[in-house]
DNA sequence: CTAGGGTTAG
């Protein structure tokens, strides 16, 4: 950068022809805006001194801004300036770059305007622009529009397929993602490591272990490069599908691990209730000098909550506050859960009262559950009032409040809440679960008898609960009994 | 100078 500044200073002190000056400056802008050694603010200053910037320089600025974190809005701003000036004319590079910026900041309005410009410009046949459009709509969660843009691509290449699969996976339409992956293979397009990241991620979301395993075997057979992102996706998939041992194996074999990889492993251990292991992994991460991020701490706190490790949790909470990680709603949620599970409901309430941001319904529900378990009627009623104000139509809130009343044997108040629900036409949503076996997803809702093997399954469940009872587990059934008594 | 990727609590 120092040498560059000297060159730039000389350019202005010598009488170079305008065209030479512009050309040299455009190269400087490109370097400063796009290289990791560059400096976007410097690029901006040099850009402003180019007498008549060509499209190449505009493109460098638009792309450069979108590459720097938190600068993507300026990227869109540069594009607007370019359009207002009327020249030079945007090309396929410009459109792809600005669409990328719009997708990063979810600028739906601006992106739509770019799309109409794509129509008029005749650049709609560029595969780069087409894919950028699909990606833009997907990132704005306009998945239907993304699909329309995708279907309009006559010659779909690997990147186009990958973009659409990733779009589905990201918005949680995991079956659509897996279905499209199958279609892609039928169309004779071979996936690469980028495609497979989204496919594995979709498997994690669907709990589709069989497909995930198959894809893992496929990539080993095809000698696909299992890089950092793909390994992380695999660790996550195995953890989410219940195979914590396989997740650990993939994780251990990773040659390099960044914060996301460590976080994935820690969260995976936490959801398996392996709290000690999760904390151990966290200290190994610190030893490896990898800086934890907000997700890492979410994993650490949830591990502490699941393991009842109150003092550990408090310790990590305060060290998080000391480091530069701002506690988010999710972090508060974990901490409140940790305290409530440890019967420290008062402390949890104090924590919530000290929050800079008002608590969301999730946190209030966690507190309410804490109140119910500790038979704290008055406090619970106050929280329920806040909750019903925020979400007057959520059945879960009424069910919780009614079970609070049940826990302290306030039957009149309980039936009053039930009546209120009925009057408002609010129905409790039955709990449901699903599991994939041999590529087929079986769904179950609370009390339904729709599955063809319901009888056999009920018998197996009965045997399992007998076994856990033999191991000394006491089911928590007082709520159920109270409801039955009413 | 173009387009696609991993982790988020209850």
């Amino acid at each position: 950068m120092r040498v560059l500044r000297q060159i730039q200073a000389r350019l202005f002190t010598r009488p170079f022809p305008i065209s030479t000056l512009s050309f040299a400056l455009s190269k400087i802008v490109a370097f400063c805006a796009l290289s990791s050694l560059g400096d976007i603010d410097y690029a901006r200053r040099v850009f402003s001194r180019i007498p008549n910037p060509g499209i190449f320089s505009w493109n460098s600025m638009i792309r450069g801004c979108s590459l720097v974190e938190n600068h993507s809005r300026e990227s869109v701003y540069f594009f607007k300036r370019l359009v207002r000036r009327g020249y030079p004319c945007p090309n396929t590079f410009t459109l792809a770059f600005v669409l990328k910026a719009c997708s990063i900041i979810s600028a739906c309005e601006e992106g739509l305007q770019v799309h109409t410009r794509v129509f008029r410009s005749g650049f709609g046949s560029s595969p780069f622009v087409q894919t950028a459009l699909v990606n833009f709509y997907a990132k704005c969660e306009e998945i239907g529009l993304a699909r329309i843009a995708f279907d309009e691509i006559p010659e779909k290449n690997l990147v186009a397929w990958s973009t659409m699969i990733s779009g589905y996976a990201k918005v949680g339409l995991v079956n659509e993602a897996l279905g499209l992956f199958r279609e892609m293979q039928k169309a004779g397009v071979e996936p690469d490591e980028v495609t497979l990241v989204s496919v594995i991620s979709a498997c994690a979301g669907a709990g589709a272990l069989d497909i995930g395993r198959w894809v893992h075997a496929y990539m080993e057979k095809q000698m696909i490069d299992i890089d950092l992102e793909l390994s992380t996706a695999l660790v996550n998939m195995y953890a989410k599908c219940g195979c914590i041992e396989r997740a650990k194996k993939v994780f251990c074999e990773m040659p390099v691990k960044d914060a996301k990889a460590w976080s994935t492993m820690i969260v995976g251990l936490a959801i398996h209730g392996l709290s000690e292991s999760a904390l151990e992994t966290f200290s190994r991460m610190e030893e490896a000098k990898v800086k934890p991020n907000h997700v890492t701490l979410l994993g650490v706190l949830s591990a502490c909550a699941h393991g009842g490790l109150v003092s550990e949790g408090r310790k990590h909470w305060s060290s998080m506050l000391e480091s530069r990680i701002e506690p988010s709603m999710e972090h508060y949620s974990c901490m409140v859960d940790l305290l409530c599970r440890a019967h420290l409901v008062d402390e949890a309430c104090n924590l919530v009262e000290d929050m800079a941001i008002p608590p969301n319904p999730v946190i209030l529900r966690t507190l309410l559950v804490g109140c119910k378990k500790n038979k704290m009627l008055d406090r619970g009623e106050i929280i329920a009032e806040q909750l019903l104000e925020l979400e007057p139509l959520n059945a879960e809130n009424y069910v919780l409040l009614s079970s609070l009343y049940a826990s302290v044997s306030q039957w009149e108040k309980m039936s009053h809440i039930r009546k209120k629900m009925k009057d408002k036409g609010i129905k409790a949503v039955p709990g449901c679960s699903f599991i994939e076996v041999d590529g087929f997803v079986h769904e179950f809702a609370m009390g339904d008898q729709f599955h063809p093997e319901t009888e056999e399954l009920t018998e197996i469940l009965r045997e399992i609960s007998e076994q856990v009872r033999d191991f000394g587990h006491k089911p928590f059934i007082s709520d159920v009994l109270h409801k039955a008594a009413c």
Side-chain angles (χ1 to χ4, degrees):
Chain A
M1 277 307 293
R2 208 162 51 86
V3 179
L4 209 67
R5 279 175 217 271
Q6 287 170 358
I7 297 171
Q8 196 234 337
R10 277 192 201 186
L11 280 172
F12 283 103
T13 52
R14 307 273 167 91
F16 284 113
I18 292 276
S19 63
T20 311
L21 183 71
S22 295
F23 180 76
L25 290 177
S26 73
K27 291 293 177 194
I28 294 176
V29 165
F31 175 80
C32 297
L34 303 175
S35 162
S36 55
L37 301 168
D39 173 345
I40 190 72
D41 291 318
Y42 187 69
R44 206 192 324 264
R45 284 199 295 277
V46 177
F47 178 79
S48 70
R49 299 188 67 170
I50 301 177
N52 229 330
I55 194 64
F56 180 86
S57 297
W58 282 98
N59 288 350
S60 299
M61 288 313 296
I62 292 169
R63 173 141 189 254
C65 289
S66 77
L67 290 176
V68 184
E69 238 182 318
N70 303 326
H71 281 258
S72 301
R73 185 147 295 284
E74 287 158 60
S75 172
V76 179
Y77 169 70
F78 268 105
F79 180 74
K80 282 185 182 163
R81 248 173 75 191
L82 171 65
V83 168
R84 221 177 305 132
R85 283 180 91 217
Y87 66 93
C89 193
N91 58 20
T92 57
F93 295 85
T94 326
L95 296 169
F97 296 153
V98 73
L99 282 169
K100 170 80 177 180
C102 291
S103 69
I104 291 171
I105 56 171
S106 295
C108 300
E109 194 65 35
E110 285 88 346
L112 278 167
Q113 285 172 17
V114 176
H115 194 167
T116 58
R117 192 163 293 277
V118 170
F119 266 128
R120 278 179 297 174
S121 68
F123 287 131
S125 58
S126 153
F128 299 99
V129 175
Q130 290 166 340
T131 312
L133 275 170
V134 175
N135 184 47
F136 158 71
Y137 282 121
K139 292 284 151 67
C140 293
E141 301 203 347
E142 290 287 355
I143 202 70
L145 293 175
R147 184 59 197 248
I148 291 170
F150 175 74
D151 286 336
E152 278 173 3
I153 304 176
E155 304 259 311
K156 299 174 181 64
N157 63 17
L158 175 59
V159 182
W161 284 102
S162 302
T163 307
M164 195 62 227
I165 292 170
S166 141
Y168 275 137
K170 282 240 174 71
V171 296
L173 293 171
V174 286
N175 285 324
E176 284 77 358
L178 295 175
L180 202 63
F181 175 55
R182 226 163 275 155
E183 264 185 63
M184 175 183 122
Q185 289 174 303
K186 264 190 235 153
V189 178
E190 290 290 326
D192 68 358
E193 69 274 12
V194 180
T195 325
L196 295 180
V197 166
S198 300
V199 174
I200 290 294
S201 170
C203 290
L209 178 60
D210 289 353
I211 305 172
R213 263 201 209 122
W214 182 87
V215 174
H216 190 180
Y218 171 89
M219 53 207 209
E220 286 188 328
K221 202 179 81 193
Q222 298 292 315
M223 310 265 275
I224 283 169
D225 176 34
I226 305 184
D227 58 15
L228 179 63
E229 287 86 351
L230 193 44
S231 305
T232 308
L234 281 170
V235 172
N236 183 46
M237 184 274 290
Y238 282 122
K240 293 282 156 66
C241 291
C243 297
I244 194 66
E245 288 306 322
R246 296 237 50 189
K248 273 154 74 174
K249 185 163 181 286
V250 176
F251 180 74
C252 287
E253 287 167 2
M254 288 172 71
V256 273
K257 305 177 177 84
D258 66 356
K260 282 186 188 174
W262 285 101
S263 308
T264 305
M265 191 68 250
I266 293 168
V267 170
L269 293 165
I271 60 175
H272 279 261
L274 300 166
S275 314
E276 304 282 356
S277 229
L279 294 183
E280 210 178 287
T281 307
F282 180 60
S283 30
R284 278 200 282 132
M285 175 181 181
E286 287 182 314
E287 279 162 29
K289 298 267 181 286
V290 179
K291 210 176 127 207
N293 62 23
H294 60 288
V295 182
T296 322
L297 269 119
L298 222 44
V300 169
L301 292 174
S302 86
C304 294
H306 290 160
L309 307 170
V310 181
S311 60
E312 287 278 9
R314 282 207 185 100
K315 194 188 87 193
H316 289 297
W317 177 261
S318 40
S319 68
M320 178 178 86
L321 298 180
E322 279 164 30
S323 73
R324 294 222 322 277
I325 299 175
E326 265 299 300
S328 68
M329 198 68 85
E330 286 87 354
H331 293 112
Y332 275 109
S333 197
C334 265
M335 203 56 201
V336 167
D337 181 42
L338 183 144
L339 295 169
C340 283
R341 281 175 196 244
H343 303 287
L344 300 166
V345 183
D346 284 322
E347 198 182 330
C349 288
N350 291 339
L351 183 71
V352 171
E353 270 164 29
D354 289 341
M355 282 171 65
I357 22 176
N360 67 6
V362 179
I363 292 183
L364 295 176
R365 267 193 292 276
T366 311
L367 285 176
L368 189 49
V369 172
C371 291
K372 183 191 95 178
K373 279 195 296 210
N374 292 280
K375 304 191 190 303
M376 297 165 68
L377 177 63
D378 297 344
R379 185 50 78 67
E381 279 186 317
I382 295 169
I383 293 161
E385 199 182 322
Q386 290 178 53
L387 197 50
L388 291 179
E389 205 166 295
L390 279 174
E391 288 186 341
L393 298 175
N394 187 342
E396 214 183 318
N397 299 336
Y398 293 89
V399 174
L400 264 180
L401 179 55
S402 114
S403 71
L404 169 75
Y405 287 137
S407 75
V408 291
S409 309
Q410 295 266 344
W411 310 116
E412 292 85 37
K413 284 188 172 175
M414 179 176 143
S415 47
H416 177 72
I417 290 298
R418 295 266 154 183
K419 188 175 175 296
K420 203 164 157 186
M421 266 179 93
K422 212 181 220 172
D423 293 346
K424 293 195 177 199
I426 301 166
K427 283 201 181 91
V429 185
C432 68
S433 70
F434 51 91
I435 183 169
E436 176 253 27
V437 178
D438 294 333
F440 186 84
V441 178
H442 301 258
E443 272 189 65
F444 303 90
M446 180 71 186
D448 81 4
Q449 308 264 316
F450 297 132
H451 195 276
E453 291 165 280
T454 295
E455 270 180 41
E456 292 89 328
L457 290 168
T458 314
E459 179 57 28
I460 292 167
L461 279 176
R462 209 181 51 76
E463 279 169 26
I464 293 174
S465 46
E466 240 168 54
Q467 279 179 32
V468 291
R469 220 170 287 213
D470 287 345
F471 272 103
H473 172 70
K474 291 194 180 69
F476 188 75
I477 51 168
S478 67
D479 281 11
V480 189
L481 291 179
H482 286 152
K483 275 168 208 157
C486 221

